[in-house]
């Protein structure tokens, strides 16, 4: 494969020009291709030792089956066609737009770090993406921060390196995963990767995304003198101990650079998220049935996002966890926020309504009104010293307060009063509770 070569795809017989090398990894190289009508694409070109019949068949099967169905904010960079030359091969795929960044980019440049609200949205998209993959009959086998990119401004995500996707128990894989993300049963050779090991890897990825640290990197990892393959298998597979395990304290964080911030990040999280991680990395380490499934994570992340509020003194984002919650940045008490209890056939949600809070379509029964996590339908504002809710959605709301009732048109606002009821759609009604009048938050 040389720059300037013309290559032809095997399935659609399309001719592309090889423009330049744009990346490389353990399995091969990635080249930029250009087509006179179809524009630019990418080609993952396997190294000779990776160009196996097994890998070829896996890619061909993925192309024939097609990528999983997802929402508009999620994209699987799926194999589209195959190019084969002299016993070597690769697959054609879409280019990833430059607005997407990776976990490593975020650590190197903290300005790329998403807000807490955006981190919840990105994580929900990530969970839904793997749920759709699993519902399509696949397992991913190598979930890690290397295979996941996000737009920190919009919350859109892409899942790449889908050439190792397969059907559990039927397709074998050349790739077992990335050691720091592998479940203990896979890293110790007890079984092949599958859906249960995907769930474990997903929990590790979510923890790292929220805490910027690995769940097992404590004093045990700090004391390792030679960080080789044996050491990694010992830490991740043979002796995995959560740094925040409430009972086993053998792997607490050392008082050293590189370990100081993770405790602050951990304490910033709401209890519902901390509990989910604790279950994942205690019970869920060796018991696959105790691992959170995608719908479990969806509920946890929804509840976490509903607890977000902004400190009125410094505008820092916080998760309000009840009681005397304090701002992580300035240390001031956050106070008891106003809340809205949403009742619908799909369940009950409680969201905070501080100044600047945003209400999204999915919070008020998005399945009923056809709106989701990207659709802002309400904004809490200050008007003449009063806190009001602005209807920024596409349709009018009905409201009732005591004996008074009426309609709130788009662009209009209503004062938040204790007991105010707002009907957002046919099946979704929100009740306002001022300053802690409702204790279920």
């Amino acid at each position: 494969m040389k720059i300037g070569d013309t290559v032809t795809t095997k399935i659609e017989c399309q001719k592309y020009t090889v423009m330049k090398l744009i990346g490389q990894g353990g399995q091969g190289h990635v080249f930029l291709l250009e087509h006179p009508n179809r524009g630019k694409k990418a080609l993952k070109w396997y190294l000779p030792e990776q160009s196996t019949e097994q890998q070829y068949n896996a890619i061909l099967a993925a192309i024939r089956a097609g990528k999983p169905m997802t929402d508009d904010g999620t994209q699987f960079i799926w194999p589209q066609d195959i190019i084969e030359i002299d016993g070597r091969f690769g697959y054609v795929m879409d280019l990833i737009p430059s607005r997407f960044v990776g976990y490593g980019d975020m650590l190197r440049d903290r300005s790329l770090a998403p807000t807490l609200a955006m981190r919840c949205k990105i994580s929900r998209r990530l969970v839904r993406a793997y749920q759709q993959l699993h519902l399509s009959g696949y397992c991913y086998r190598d979930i890690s921060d290397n295979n996941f990119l996000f737009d920190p401004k919009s919350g859109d995500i892409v899942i790449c390196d889908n050439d190792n996707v397969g059907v559990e128990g039927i397709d074998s894989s050349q790739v077992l995963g990335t050691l720091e993300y592998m479940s203990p049963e896979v890293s110790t050779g007890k079984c092949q990767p599958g859906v249960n090991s995907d769930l474990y890897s997903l929990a590790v990825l979510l923890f790292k995304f929220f805490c910027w640290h690995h769940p097992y990197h404590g004093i045990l990892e700090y004391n390792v003198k030679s960080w080789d393959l044996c050491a990694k298998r010992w830490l991740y597979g043979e002796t995995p101990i959560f740094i925040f395990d409430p009972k086993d304290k053998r792997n607490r964080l050392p008082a050293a650079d590189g370990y100081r911030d993770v405790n602050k990040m951990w304490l910033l999280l709401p209890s519902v998220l901390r509990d989910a991680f604790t279950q994942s990395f205690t019970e869920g380490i060796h018991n696959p049935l105790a691992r959170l499934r995608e719908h479990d994570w969806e509920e946890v992340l929804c509840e976490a996002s509903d607890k977000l509020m902004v400190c009125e003194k410094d505008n820092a984002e916080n998760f309000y966890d009840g009681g005397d919650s304090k701002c992580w940045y300035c240390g001031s008490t956050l106070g008891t926020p106003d809340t809205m209890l949403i009742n619908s056939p799909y369940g009950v949600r409680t969201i905070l309504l501080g100044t600047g809070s945003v209400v999204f379509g999915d919070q008020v029964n998005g399945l009923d009104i056809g709106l989701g996590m990207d659709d802002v339908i309400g904004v809490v504002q200050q008007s003449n010293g009063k806190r009001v809710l602005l209807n920024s959605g596409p349709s009018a709301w009905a409201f009732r307060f005591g004996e008074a009732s009426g309609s709130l048109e788009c662009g209009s606002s209503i004062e938040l009063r204790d007991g105010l009821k707002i009907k957002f759609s046919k099946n979704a009604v929100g009740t306002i509770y001022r300053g802690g009048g409702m204790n279920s938050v």
Side-chain angles (χ1 to χ4, degrees):
M1 180 77 64
K2 300 190 299 295
I3 307 303
D5 282 355
T6 298
V7 293
T8 304
T9 61
K10 191 173 182 66
I11 299 173
E12 295 189 341
C13 299
Q14 296 293 320
K15 293 185 181 296
Y16 289 88
T17 301
V18 181
M19 304 302 292
K20 63 179 180 179
L21 178 69
I22 57 175
Q24 58 187 34
Q27 286 186 300
H29 301 80
V30 180
F31 291 93
L32 176 66
L33 302 181
E34 189 158 6
H35 188 279
N37 301 318
R38 300 189 175 192
K40 295 177 180 179
K41 296 282 185 179
L43 167 67
K44 180 171 180 178
W45 189 244
Y46 289 98
L47 297 170
E49 60 270 22
Q50 297 290 332
S51 299
T52 65
E53 181 180 2
Q54 180 186 29
Q55 187 67 67
Y56 186 94
N57 290 336
I59 295 169
L60 191 59
I63 293 172
R64 288 171 175 167
K67 63 183 178 182
M69 296 295 292
T70 58
D71 63 29
D72 293 337
T74 304
Q75 182 181 2
F76 282 93
I77 307 300
W78 205 258
Q80 297 173 350
D81 210 328
I82 293 176
I83 292 173
E84 188 174 6
I85 302 172
D86 297 330
R88 291 180 64 181
F89 61 87
Y91 66 89
V92 178
M93 57 184 167
D94 286 330
L95 283 171
I96 299 174
S98 59
R99 65 188 176 97
F100 290 96
V101 300
Y103 176 80
D105 300 319
M106 178 183 72
L107 294 187
R108 287 186 291 270
D109 182 359
R110 297 298 172 90
S111 68
L112 297 174
T115 63
L116 290 176
M118 198 58 69
R119 235 177 286 181
C120 289
K121 179 188 285 189
I122 290 168
S123 298
R124 287 178 62 192
R125 280 220 164 96
L126 187 66
V127 166
R128 289 180 180 184
Y130 286 117
Q131 182 178 40
Q132 288 303 312
L133 185 83
H134 292 152
L135 290 174
S136 299
Y138 296 116
C139 54
Y140 188 84
R141 296 172 168 149
D142 190 19
I143 294 175
S144 76
D145 58 77
N146 293 321
N147 306 323
F148 149 64
L149 301 168
F150 58 89
D151 182 337
K153 294 182 178 179
S154 70
D156 294 347
I157 68 168
V158 295
I159 308 292
C160 50
D161 289 346
N162 292 288
D163 48 330
N164 296 313
V165 167
V167 179
E168 183 174 2
I170 296 177
D171 301 332
S172 56
S173 174
Q174 294 183 171
V175 174
L176 295 179
T178 304
L179 256 176
E180 65 177 305
Y181 286 89
M182 277 189 204
S183 65
E185 68 269 18
V186 173
S187 64
T188 55
K190 295 178 181 177
C191 69
Q192 290 288 308
V195 172
N196 282 330
S197 60
D198 276 357
L199 295 174
Y200 180 90
S201 304
L202 178 59
V204 177
L205 181 55
L206 290 171
F207 183 88
K208 289 186 68 175
F209 191 54
F210 275 99
C211 294
W212 301 357
H213 197 85
H214 193 281
Y216 303 148
H217 284 188
I219 192 68
L220 295 181
E221 177 258 348
Y222 179 76
N223 286 333
V224 172
K225 304 302 181 185
S226 178
W227 191 235
D228 56 14
L229 189 61
C230 289
K232 291 179 180 180
R233 282 191 176 137
W234 170 76
L235 185 76
Y236 300 132
E238 297 169 11
T239 318
I241 301 173
F242 187 35
I243 54 176
F244 297 115
D245 189 310
K247 296 179 180 178
D248 192 336
K249 304 183 186 302
R250 287 178 293 161
N251 196 26
R252 287 294 185 254
L253 294 164
D257 291 342
Y259 298 84
R260 303 182 195 280
D261 290 342
V262 62
N263 192 60
K264 296 178 183 177
M265 304 284 276
W266 174 253
L267 294 176
L268 173 63
L269 301 180
S271 56
V272 65
L273 201 47
R274 292 199 304 267
D275 290 346
F277 285 132
T278 299
Q279 179 177 330
S280 299
F281 304 123
T282 53
E283 262 192 281
I285 291 179
H286 298 294
N287 180 8
L289 296 180
R291 294 169 189 168
L292 273 71
R293 304 200 71 82
E294 298 93 342
H295 67 271
D296 298 320
W297 281 116
E298 175 83 9
E299 290 181 6
V300 167
L301 292 163
C302 282
E303 185 173 342
S305 63
D306 290 346
K307 291 177 178 290
L308 279 166
M309 68 179 295
V310 174
C311 175
E312 295 187 354
K313 291 188 176 181
D314 56 25
N315 290 322
E317 273 187 307
N318 288 268
F319 289 108
Y320 178 78
D321 222 9
D324 58 348
S325 294
K326 298 183 184 298
C327 174
W328 68 269
Y329 187 76
C330 70
S332 61
T333 301
L334 292 173
T336 306
D338 298 339
T339 59
M340 178 164 59
L341 183 72
I342 308 291
N343 273 291
S344 79
Y346 303 100
V348 177
R349 291 184 72 167
T350 303
I351 62 177
L352 305 186
L353 297 178
T355 300
S357 293
V358 175
V359 182
F360 292 96
D362 69 310
Q363 289 178 307
V364 293
N365 191 16
L367 293 177
D368 184 3
I369 60 179
L371 300 173
M373 68 173 83
D374 290 323
D375 302 301
V376 177
I377 67 160
V379 180
V380 180
Q381 300 175 331
Q382 285 290 129
S383 177
N384 298 321
K386 298 177 181 179
R387 188 169 288 173
V388 300
L389 181 62
L390 171 71
N391 180 354
S392 58
S395 58
W397 304 335
F399 70 87
R400 177 178 291 278
F401 182 69
E403 297 300 317
S405 63
S407 177
L408 189 68
E409 301 299 322
C410 306
S412 300
S413 59
I414 188 169
E415 181 183 352
L416 295 179
R417 298 182 178 183
D418 196 45
L420 171 68
K421 293 185 181 295
I422 301 175
K423 189 173 184 178
F424 294 98
S425 65
K426 180 180 178 181
N427 295 316
V429 177
T431 303
I432 306 299
Y433 296 89
R434 293 299 309 271
M438 195 273 301
N439 297 316
S440 62
V441 179

